[in-house]
Amino acid sequence: MYICTVKRSVKYTLLIAVLLLFGCRQETQVDPLKRSKVDGLNKEAFINRYKDPDVCLERAEMALAFVQDSLPEYVDGELRALNNIAFAYYQVTNYEKATEILDQLEKKAKSGKGKANNDEVETIIARLLKARLLQRSCHIADSYELLYEVGKSDIVKNNSGNLLYNYAQTEYYITLLTLNFHYRNGKEADVMSIIDDIERRRKDLKVDYAQDMALNYAIAYGLQSAGESKRALEYCENNYDILFNERNDAFCLYHYANTLQMTASALKSIPGTVPADSILALYDRAREAFFEYGDPYQMLGGVTSTARYALLIGDTLFAHEVLDEWRSMRGTWKPFSAPKMELGYFDVIIRSCLAETADENRRWYEHRCELEEYVAQNEKEDFVLQNSLSTANRRSSLLSKFSLVLGVMLVVLVVLVVLLWRVTLRLRREKRQLQEAKRRDVERIANVETCLSVMRHDVSPFIGYLRNPDLPTELRSEVLEQLLRTFDNIKNWTSLSIPSGLVFTPSVFPLQEVLEEVKQQVITPSKGVSLEFKETDARVWGDRLLVTILLRNLVNNALQHTRKGFVIIAAKQESDMIEIIITDSGCGMSQEQKENLFRADRPDGDHGFGLILCRYIVKKHDDNTRRGCKLWAESEEGKGTAMHVLLSSNG
């Protein structure tokens, strides 16, 4: 209740009003008898805000008229009356009038005419109701922005025990939960985080039975959306305990209908709990209660939920009956805008196949598409706003923490910086030396192991051939030639890499000069095979000797596997990279061969040690240039192969 203390002098006694939600001292110039009349009317309005919106509206308008006519200095009473009026209009889905009253309230609070103690908290309550109105019209980005601003205010964190502040806090949590689980389709973690916060503070959020039920329903809906149906039922049971206790004034048709519908939704999510007919009966009873209450928004929700579940369990006839009743009554009410709710309704009515003509069904579907597009656009705007505010919030938080830590550390660092500097330099130098020595040792070991492994793998077949006394002379010469090439590659590898790791000596050199060298060094093509080096003016940034070995091996490999046709070596500039392509019309490779092409332990020995060396050379270029140098093959069995080398073109 509101508690007001008036003090003129020691002669005055303490006056306690029975108005809900007022706990601040008022100015002495306000007539206490007139103020108590306003407080009493506002209290009646507040008590009936859920139970009977018409009574709420009537009492609040009486309070407002009395303040304006007889007590203009009582600004707190006027603001409370305006909030009660706006809530009453919200409850009967008169959004335009509710918005008009809320704008009037904010204007009054900002005007500064008259002294008020509660203008800030009343303004917060008005903004929370505005956020709900924005949610129903699906302006969820604007709603989230309002909630974000309210969430940063001290009012949400205030634990003074003042009932007006408690009311603002419960409204904040209810509105935030509704935004996340219904309008925003928020993540489960977001919903559960809000619920955890509410449950921690629940004992400090006492207002009245109606607010307890509203908060219970919001928590139950949030739990249900997060898949916690059993916990949702516990909050429904809490509401039933309040609704049917010994206090007759605790029963509220609005909360009763909401709790019935929430119970049905939770039971539906727990298979085997109750029969489907019983769940349908709960949905239908909730629908009837909403119709009895008279709020078009809740009535539409009741119709949609009942018809949707009836269709789900195959009771199409009952779904048609419910939808027909709504259609027959809808024209008697003023139109209202609740895009998300109406989208659900049109989903159901289209699925019910209730349209009498194809044209009617088409109109329904077109309207549904318009609603869906409208909702999606608003959800996109909300997503952008969330990211923007979240980023700004993180930056602000990080900046604050950083500034605090920096201030403390600077004092210490100023003293230690000179002493630590020399030690740091020495440690860094020693660390680099150790890392470089370790890298060279690891590379030497890897090179020796790879060399020995591949030597055994590649040389063994040739030795087997040569031991065959019946091997023709021509074939023996060819085997010897291949064996010599293998040993030449091994010699290159060992001489370049084993002593101190593969040394990389970078320079910028013309690619054409290297191609000319390679042309003189490669094996002679077989009869019927043409070898063509296309001219290029490209320049390569890398190790000239390694690039020469690389291209020589690739060209030799192409010639070795091409019995007829061509081998072409070409280069093309790609931004600051050079792509060299060795294309042949040889036997090509299968997918399995391509996958094993650069492996030392591949199942076949067809490609030799040269490709292992090629891969190592390209990797060495990439490690030193950091430009994305790479080697890959494109091939199809029976249709030739194209080996691609990507190197840097400038330093």
Side-chain angles (χ1 to χ4, degrees), residues 194-257:
I194 299 167
I195 292 174
D196 289 342
D197 194 19
I198 296 171
E199 290 179 331
R200 281 194 300 270
R201 301 189 56 194
R202 187 67 186 271
K203 66 180 186 299
D204 300 322
L205 299 177
K206 292 297 181 184
V207 179
D208 64 356
Y209 288 115
Q211 204 66 11
D212 281 348
M213 286 188 282
L215 195 54
N216 283 340
Y217 174 75
I219 295 172
Y221 208 148
L223 288 168
Q224 171 64 15
S225 72
E228 297 279 349
S229 299
K230 290 184 178 179
R231 287 183 63 193
L233 285 174
E234 292 175 8
Y235 281 94
C236 291
E237 289 174 5
N238 291 342
N239 270 5
Y240 290 128
D241 290 341
I242 296 171
L243 288 164
F244 298 108
N245 68 2
E246 295 178 358
R247 293 174 54 89
N248 293 328
D249 61 344
F251 185 83
C252 173
L253 191 61
Y254 173 84
H255 289 305
Y256 175 61

Side-chain angles (χ1 to χ4, degrees), residues 14 89 108 173 204 227 258 285 328 332 358 499 505 554 559 600 642 644:
L14 185 66
Y89 281 128
K108 177 66 179 179
Y173 283 122
D204 300 322
N258 267 334
R285 180 67 192 96
S328 65
T332 63
T505 307
L554 291 177
L559 290 169
H644 298 258

Side-chain angles (χ1 to χ4, degrees), residues 143-397:
S143 176
Y144 176 67
E145 191 167 15
L146 273 178
L147 284 169
Y148 181 81
E149 292 173 359
V150 170
K152 293 193 298 182
S153 70
D154 292 334
I155 288 176
V156 174
K157 303 170 186 176
N158 189 298
N159 287 317
S160 65
N162 183 301
L163 294 179
L164 191 59
Y165 282 79
N166 288 357
Y167 178 60
Q169 289 163 15
T170 55
E171 285 295 287
Y172 169 74
Y173 283 122
I174 290 169
T175 310
L176 188 60
L177 269 176
T178 305
L179 175 66
N180 275 277
F181 67 66
H182 183 65
Y183 292 99
R184 179 187 284 165
N185 296 322
K187 298 176 183 176
E188 179 181 324
D190 296 336
V191 175
M192 293 306 298
S193 175
I194 299 167
I195 292 174
D196 289 342
D197 194 19
I198 296 171
E199 290 179 331
R200 281 194 300 270
R201 301 189 56 194
R202 187 67 186 271
K203 66 180 186 299
D204 300 322
L205 299 177
K206 292 297 181 184
V207 179
D208 64 356
Y209 288 115
Q211 204 66 11
D212 281 348
M213 286 188 282
L215 195 54
N216 283 340
Y217 174 75
I219 295 172
Y221 208 148
L223 288 168
Q224 171 64 15
S225 72
E228 297 279 349
S229 299
K230 290 184 178 179
R231 287 183 63 193
L233 285 174
E234 292 175 8
Y235 281 94
C236 291
E237 289 174 5
N238 291 342
N239 270 5
Y240 290 128
D241 290 341
I242 296 171
L243 288 164
F244 298 108
N245 68 2
E246 295 178 358
R247 293 174 54 89
N248 293 328
D249 61 344
F251 185 83
C252 173
L253 191 61
Y254 173 84
H255 289 305
Y256 175 61
N258 267 334
T259 307
L260 282 174
Q261 191 175 80
M262 187 68 253
T263 303
S265 180
L267 289 172
K268 180 184 70 174
S269 302
I270 309 174
T273 308
V274 296
D277 289 344
S278 299
I279 295 175
L280 181 60
L282 284 173
Y283 274 120
D284 193 41
R285 180 67 192 96
R287 179 186 65 86
E288 291 174 349
F290 281 133
F291 270 65
E292 188 177 346
Y293 185 74
D295 175 17
Y297 179 85
Q298 300 296 345
M299 294 165 76
L300 177 59
V303 167
T304 302
S305 298
T306 305
R308 181 186 289 119
Y309 187 71
L311 290 174
L312 179 66
I313 65 174
D315 196 344
T316 306
L317 186 62
F318 185 70
H320 285 187
E321 182 181 323
V322 169
L323 293 168
D324 278 334
E325 181 182 5
W326 167 257
R327 293 174 67 202
S328 65
M329 298 174 65
R330 189 177 185 184
T332 63
W333 297 320
K334 294 180 180 179
F336 62 94
S337 175
K340 191 129 186 179
M341 182 73 81
E342 290 187 276
L343 178 60
Y345 167 71
F346 276 97
D347 275 335
V348 170
I349 199 170
I350 291 170
R351 284 173 48 206
S352 70
C353 302
L354 193 61
E356 296 178 359
T357 65
D359 187 58
E360 184 178 30
N361 193 66
R362 179 184 56 77
R363 289 198 307 273
W364 289 350
Y365 186 77
E366 287 176 351
H367 186 53
R368 182 204 171 281
C369 290
E370 291 173 1
L371 287 168
E372 187 174 41
E373 184 177 351
Y374 179 79
V375 170
Q377 178 60 34
N378 279 277
E379 288 176 344
K380 181 179 179 181
E381 291 173 5
D382 174 59
F383 178 77
V384 172
L385 178 64
Q386 282 185 71
N387 285 344
S388 174
L389 291 176
S390 178
T391 301
N393 195 41
R394 284 197 303 271
R395 286 176 179 172
S396 176
S397 176

Side-chain angles (χ1 to χ4, degrees), residues 508-509 538-542 573-579 627 629 647-651:
V508 178
F509 56 88
R539 300 177 71 81
V540 177
W541 177 37
Q573 185 84 31
E574 296 284 349
S575 184
D576 59 349
M577 303 295 287
I578 292 293
E579 184 178 355
R627 295 294 180 86
C629 301
L647 298 174
S648 177
S649 65
N650 57 70

